[in-house]
Amino acid sequence: MKFYKKVYKKFIVAAIILSMVMVSSDGMIFFRRNVYAAQTFTLGTAQKLGLANSKVYAKTKSQIAVQQTKYVDAVKSIEKRRKSLSSFRWTPLLSFKFPQDPLMDEEYTWMYKPLQIQTNITNLKHKLSDTVYASREEISSLYVDIYVSQVKIKYLTELIDGFEKDKERTNALIAAGTGNANDIRKIDNSLKKYKSVLAKEERAITVNKNKMKKLTKMDVSSHEFVNPFVTADIPRSAIDNFVKTAKERDHDFYVQKMTTSLAFSSLKMNYQLMKNHYGSKMDSLSPYISQAYNGQEIDVASFQKATDNFIEKVDRKWKGKRRILFFSFTLEWFMGDTDGSRYIEDSPYALATSAGDYIDALNDEKSAEQELEDTIRNDYEGLVTAKNAYLGMHDSNAELYEQIQKDKVKNLAGTFTMEELNDEQNELAGNGLDELDLLAAYSKLLYSYDRKTCGAVTDYLASSKASVKSSSGGKSYKTPGTEKEADDSFIDDAAEEGGDFIGGDNGTDSFLEADKIEGAYYYIESHVEDRMFAFGVSIPDDMTPKITDYELWVNDTRIGERTKTDEQIKHLTLALDNADKTVVKLYSSNKLIDICEIDSMVNRGKLNITASYKVVTQEKPRTAASYKMDINENLKTATFKFEKSEGEPISYYLVTDSEGNALLDGEHYRIDDEFEYLSAVAGDLTKLRVQFYDNEDNFLYTGDFVTNKGTVVVYPEAVE
């Protein structure tokens, strides 16, 4: 019995193998093709393969690596140049070069170039996300074209087979003497027409499958494509959310916003450099800067004229001559490299130019935003029109289909001729292909609209579970190619994938980790897109005592909160504007270790921790002055009267907010003069501070209100 079972198994295996091979006329053996059903190739698979093999994606990643290298080179070059200018240099040929201050143009380059490269990197990283939407649209559109050709080929093949059978039957009827020769001519004309269309579609599907192969790196010549048609009831109320999403994700608009932010940073840099160098002499130019900051149009010609007057003013002290003994020298001979207008001689109108550039960029951003919104809203109307055209054709064909079913019954009853029935069937056949084209056009428009809204349509379809059926309900008639339900699994996959394909964080300097400064150092990252900066420190692990926290102080005002050394402080860039003094306070738990002054205009630098890292003891806060406050309920005002403590060298004071901004016009009051302001400030005096000055109006220190004692106290930073 076992013997027969073995023979039977071998027979079955041999039969299977023989069914898979064919023998040619010359005796060659080869395997049959298409023994099994054709493999399916879904739209979701095509989208994933297309993105994974995207040349644009690979090229963009390469460009990011190049820009990161340029950033490191730029930072190193700037550090070397800055160090070179500040050092005494000489050569064996006794050529001496003394330390010198950089001109404004060079200082600006030191600040702007790293920021510009960093912006390029951020733009490229955003482009990676945008590649997802672009690739998805390209693949989807091509997939629809291939599927339409696939359906038409099957549809036309069946149609031609039907006409061939009709021709055979008609010839038989003619031979029997009951047929009509005109029917043969009509059938031949139809065969010629549809065979021509079939040949066209066969060429089209071959070309498009080759394109798909190039995009996905997969041979799909023998694969069967699946129904990709999507129709959805997208209400007009969804457009506002589409516009919002597009403004957040659209790459071209993002680049324009970054251009505006970079132009704003450029303007601030130029103004900050000139303000630091010329001080109050900049008052004549400040109104133009205020206009620019507020986004108001600027008369650049007037700004340039004001700059000419400013240059004349700063050079006025260097006009004339000075006599020394028997010699007479022009005062200009005594000017230093950065005195007078020499500081800005390479770019005298840089401030006016950067202000104009910022306003132009801001206007371009507003125009781009409006254009993007108009595109989203207008294209929605085109989408609705395309959908209605398809549904109209579908309903018309469905009615014709129902009529044909009734006329077939009439034909059998002899009340409806075969010629009339054939005419109706030919009409439905032609209309069916037109309907398929309309459905394909609508689906491609929907994929294109999803691209323009940067995935907002996909998000909507996935979240709302909107219908993705490709034919109207309640009809037995189906659009050619939609007999099987659409495979819409790619919608959830695409929504989950979204535009965050690249992962990671945009806009950070993490790639500089390979180029760290030895020892303790600080770094400043500029996030141009949201006009913020991130500040952080790097402390060696072997430092004793261990530094655990730090604070950032600008002009005696703390920025943010006390922060762990492995975390960053993020704040608006305005906090670093006009920074006369910037320090970092380092702590070990609650003990102040050291206070390091830093240069906030440098991207990174060493923290010069002194005293061999010994703990610096803190004194208790001292009372600098006492105060009395009277409230006038009728006038809604509060009047402050200060009295300095014994031994304090205070002659003037200035009341400010927590950020150091004067409450009134910035005028310094004598210590025995009263200060009057709106009574609303009395609600929370902890949000106010008092700056004290000596008898020559030199800054001394800043105090804080202690409301329960009626005093102003000063917290000492450290005792040497």
Side-chain angles (χ1 to χ4, degrees):
M1 188 69 180
K2 291 182 178 179
F3 171 76
Y4 289 109
K5 285 185 177 180
K6 289 182 179 180
V7 172
Y8 179 73
K9 287 181 179 179
K10 290 181 179 180
F11 175 77
I12 294 298
V13 171
I16 293 174
I17 294 175
L18 286 173
S19 69
M20 296 175 62
V21 301
M22 293 182 65
V23 181
S24 65
S25 58
D26 57 359
M28 295 294 293
I29 298 177
F30 57 92
F31 280 91
R32 292 178 183 267
R33 300 187 65 179
N34 301 323
V35 172
Y36 302 105
Q39 288 182 300
T40 58
F41 186 63
T42 66
L43 177 55
T45 301
Q47 288 178 344
K48 291 177 180 177
L49 288 175
L51 184 59
N53 293 284
S54 171
K55 291 182 178 180
V56 176
Y57 183 83
K59 181 180 179 181
T60 304
K61 288 191 71 173
S62 176
Q63 290 174 332
I64 291 174
V66 171
Q67 290 295 319
Q68 288 175 340
T69 302
K70 286 184 177 180
Y71 185 97
V72 174
D73 289 343
V75 171
K76 283 184 175 181
S77 176
I78 289 169
E79 289 175 353
K80 289 180 180 179
R81 176 61 177 166
R82 187 187 294 272
K83 183 177 181 180
S84 176
L85 285 179
S86 61
S87 305
F88 175 78
R89 294 154 290 158
W90 64 283
T91 67
L93 297 178
L94 299 182
S95 174
F96 298 101
K97 291 186 178 180
F98 294 92
Q100 61 186 97
D101 294 325
L103 299 180
M104 175 183 164
D105 197 50
E106 187 160 24
E107 281 192 296
Y108 170 80
T109 301
W110 293 348
M111 298 168 63
Y112 182 77
K113 188 174 182 180
L115 185 62
Q116 184 184 39
I117 299 175
Q118 192 177 34
T119 301
N120 292 339
I121 294 171
T122 305
N123 284 341
L124 288 170
K125 286 185 176 181
H126 190 274
K127 185 179 179 180
L128 280 181
S129 297
D130 186 70
T131 303
V132 176
Y133 308 121
S135 175
R136 190 186 299 165
E137 180 197 15
E138 183 180 19
I139 292 292
S140 300
S141 179
L142 182 59
Y143 192 100
V144 168
D145 288 338
I146 294 174
Y147 182 73
V148 167
S149 292
Q150 175 182 289
V151 171
K152 284 185 176 181
I153 289 171
K154 180 181 178 182
Y155 184 78
L156 289 167
T157 300
E158 293 175 353
L159 194 63
I160 290 171
D161 288 344
F163 279 119
E164 293 286 3
K165 291 178 181 178
D166 288 343
K167 185 176 180 179
E168 290 178 5
R169 285 194 297 268
T170 304
N171 281 327
L173 291 174
I174 292 174
T178 58
N180 189 340
N182 288 331
D183 291 341
I184 294 295
R185 284 195 295 271
K186 289 182 179 180
I187 292 174
D188 285 339
N189 289 335
S190 296
L191 283 171
K192 182 179 179 181
K193 171 186 174 182
Y194 291 122
K195 283 182 178 180
S196 175
V197 176
L198 176 61
K200 177 183 176 183
E201 294 302 330
E202 287 175 338
R203 291 193 298 270
I205 198 171
T206 300
V207 171
N208 287 331
K209 281 192 172 183
N210 285 334
K211 290 181 180 178
M212 184 67 77
K213 179 181 179 181
K214 290 180 180 179
L215 293 175
T216 62
K217 299 295 185 289
M218 181 174 177
D219 185 1
V220 294
S221 57
S222 60
H223 285 67
E224 182 178 343
F225 284 55
V226 182
N227 179 5
F229 295 134
V230 175
T231 62
D233 295 324
I234 302 176
R236 195 172 296 276
S237 58
I239 300 179
D240 288 339
N241 186 59
F242 291 170
V243 170
K244 179 176 179 292
T245 302
K247 288 181 180 180
E248 293 172 352
R249 299 178 181 176
D250 184 80
H251 181 62
D252 291 338
F253 183 53
Y254 179 84
V255 171
Q256 184 57 59
K257 288 191 294 183
M258 291 291 285
T259 300
T260 304
S261 296
L262 190 61
F264 183 72
S265 298
S266 173
L267 172 61
K268 286 202 308 176
M269 288 175 188
N270 280 311
Y271 181 66
Q272 184 178 346
L273 288 170
M274 292 184 68
K275 184 72 174 177
N276 291 345
H277 190 79
Y278 293 110
S280 60
K281 295 176 183 177
M282 287 288 295
D283 291 346
S284 60
L285 302 180
S286 295
Y288 294 97
I289 302 303
S290 297
Q291 278 184 276
Y293 282 178
N294 293 326
Q296 300 172 358
E297 291 292 337
I298 294 176
D299 186 344
V300 177
S302 175
F303 198 167
Q304 290 179 342
K305 186 175 181 180
T307 303
D308 291 334
N309 295 334
F310 164 78
I311 292 174
E312 182 182 356
K313 181 179 179 181
V314 298
D315 283 342
R316 192 172 298 160
K317 64 178 291 187
W318 302 104
K319 302 297 182 182
K321 297 181 179 181
R322 175 183 295 179
R323 187 174 183 82
I324 301 177
L325 297 178
F326 304 104
F327 303 97
S328 180
F329 301 91
T330 60
L331 293 179
E332 188 175 353
W333 194 82
F334 296 95
M335 287 180 68
D337 291 336
T338 60
D339 287 335
S341 62
R342 287 184 177 178
Y343 178 66
I344 59 172
E345 63 182 1
D346 290 336
S347 304
Y349 300 109
L351 194 57
T353 302
S354 58
D357 289 344
Y358 169 62
I359 295 301
D360 288 344
L362 188 62
N363 290 335
D364 289 343
E365 179 185 330
K366 292 177 181 177
S367 298
E369 182 178 15
Q370 187 61 52
E371 183 178 350
L372 177 61
E373 181 171 347
D374 291 344
T375 298
I376 300 301
R377 296 188 183 280
N378 294 338
D379 285 5
Y380 174 82
E381 303 302 330
L383 194 65
V384 172
T385 300
K387 181 181 179 182
N388 290 338
Y390 158 67
L391 292 177
M393 176 66 80
H394 175 80
D395 291 342
S396 177
N397 286 344
E399 292 175 2
L400 180 57
Y401 175 81
E402 296 295 336
Q403 184 62 45
I404 289 174
Q405 305 312 308
K406 295 176 182 178
D407 290 341
K408 283 182 178 179
V409 176
K410 293 180 181 180
N411 177 257
L412 293 175
T415 58
F416 198 78
T417 66
M418 178 60 71
E419 183 178 0
E420 291 175 316
L421 184 61
N422 286 338
D423 288 342
E424 286 182 341
Q425 289 176 330
N426 284 335
E427 182 182 356
L428 181 61
N431 289 352
L433 295 180
D434 292 339
E435 181 184 343
L436 178 61
D437 287 335
L438 286 175
L439 177 57
Y442 167 72
S443 294
K444 290 171 71 172
L445 274 178
L446 189 61
Y447 292 132
S448 176
Y449 194 59
D450 184 55
R451 165 72 179 99
K452 291 176 181 177
T453 60
C454 302
V457 173
T458 294
D459 294 342
Y460 173 80
L461 294 177
S463 62
S464 65
K465 301 301 180 184
S467 171
V468 293
K469 294 182 179 179
S470 56
S471 61
S472 56
K475 302 282 186 180
S476 58
Y477 168 76
K478 296 284 187 180
T479 305
T482 66
E483 294 80 10
K484 292 183 179 180
E485 201 64 54
D487 174 23
D488 63 335
S489 60
F490 68 91
I491 293 177
D492 292 324
D493 293 341
E496 183 177 350
E497 187 176 84
D500 300 323
F501 180 80
I502 60 170
D505 182 25
N506 288 347
T508 64
D509 288 343
S510 58
F511 52 86
L512 279 177
E513 290 296 310
D515 187 44
K516 289 182 178 179
I517 298 176
E518 292 185 4
Y521 68 92
Y522 69 92
Y523 60 90
I524 303 174
E525 298 172 354
S526 298
H527 295 183
V528 180
E529 61 272 26
D530 48 14
R531 297 180 184 177
M532 297 186 72
F533 73 90
F535 181 90
V537 297
S538 177
I539 307 295
D541 294 333
D542 57 354
M543 182 171 288
T544 305
K546 185 176 180 61
I547 295 176
T548 59
D549 304 85
Y550 70 96
E551 293 176 349
L552 176 64
W553 289 72
V554 178
N555 297 340
D556 298 313
T557 300
R558 187 174 69 182
I559 305 300
E561 303 295 331
R562 185 176 298 183
T563 306
K564 296 293 183 182
T565 53
D566 59 350
E567 298 176 0
Q568 293 180 333
I569 295 173
K570 295 184 179 180
H571 207 277
L572 293 173
T573 54
L574 292 173
L576 293 180
D577 289 352
N578 303 317
D580 297 322
K581 182 181 180 182
T582 306
V583 299
V584 178
K585 297 183 180 181
L586 303 173
Y587 293 85
S588 179
S589 295
N590 292 323
K591 294 181 179 179
L592 180 64
I593 300 299
D594 208 342
I595 301 172
C596 303
E597 187 167 354
I598 65 171
D599 186 352
S600 62
M601 298 176 71
V602 178
N603 291 84
R604 58 180 184 159
K606 285 189 175 183
L607 291 171
N608 297 314
I609 304 176
T610 59
S612 300
Y613 312 135
K614 292 181 180 179
V615 175
V616 181
T617 58
Q618 284 187 286
E619 290 182 347
K620 294 181 180 180
R622 73 176 189 277
T623 301
S626 59
Y627 74 93
K628 292 182 179 180
M629 181 178 64
D630 295 324
I631 304 294
N632 188 321
E633 295 294 345
N634 294 326
L635 298 178
K636 301 296 182 183
T637 59
T639 303
F640 293 85
K641 175 68 176 179
F642 293 93
E643 182 177 347
K644 67 179 181 179
S645 299
E646 185 177 354
E648 295 292 337
I650 300 173
S651 296
Y652 299 92
Y653 71 92
L654 175 67
V655 181
T656 71
D657 60 17
S658 59
E659 300 293 332
N661 301 310
L663 293 192
L664 287 178
D665 54 5
E667 179 184 355
H668 294 178
Y669 289 78
R670 295 192 61 83
I671 192 64
D672 52 357
D673 289 342
E674 295 180 342
F675 173 74
E676 188 176 27
Y677 199 68
L678 297 176
S679 60
V681 300
D684 188 3
L685 292 182
T686 59
K687 294 182 179 179
L688 301 182
R689 308 193 79 197
V690 185
Q691 296 179 2
F692 294 110
Y693 299 82
D694 62 16
N695 59 352
E696 294 184 357
D697 211 14
N698 295 317
F699 175 77
L700 293 172
Y701 33 71
T702 300
D704 296 285
F705 286 94
V706 180
T707 55
N708 61 341
K709 294 183 179 180
T711 59
V712 180
V713 300
V714 175
Y715 294 90
E717 294 180 347
V719 176
E720 298 294 339

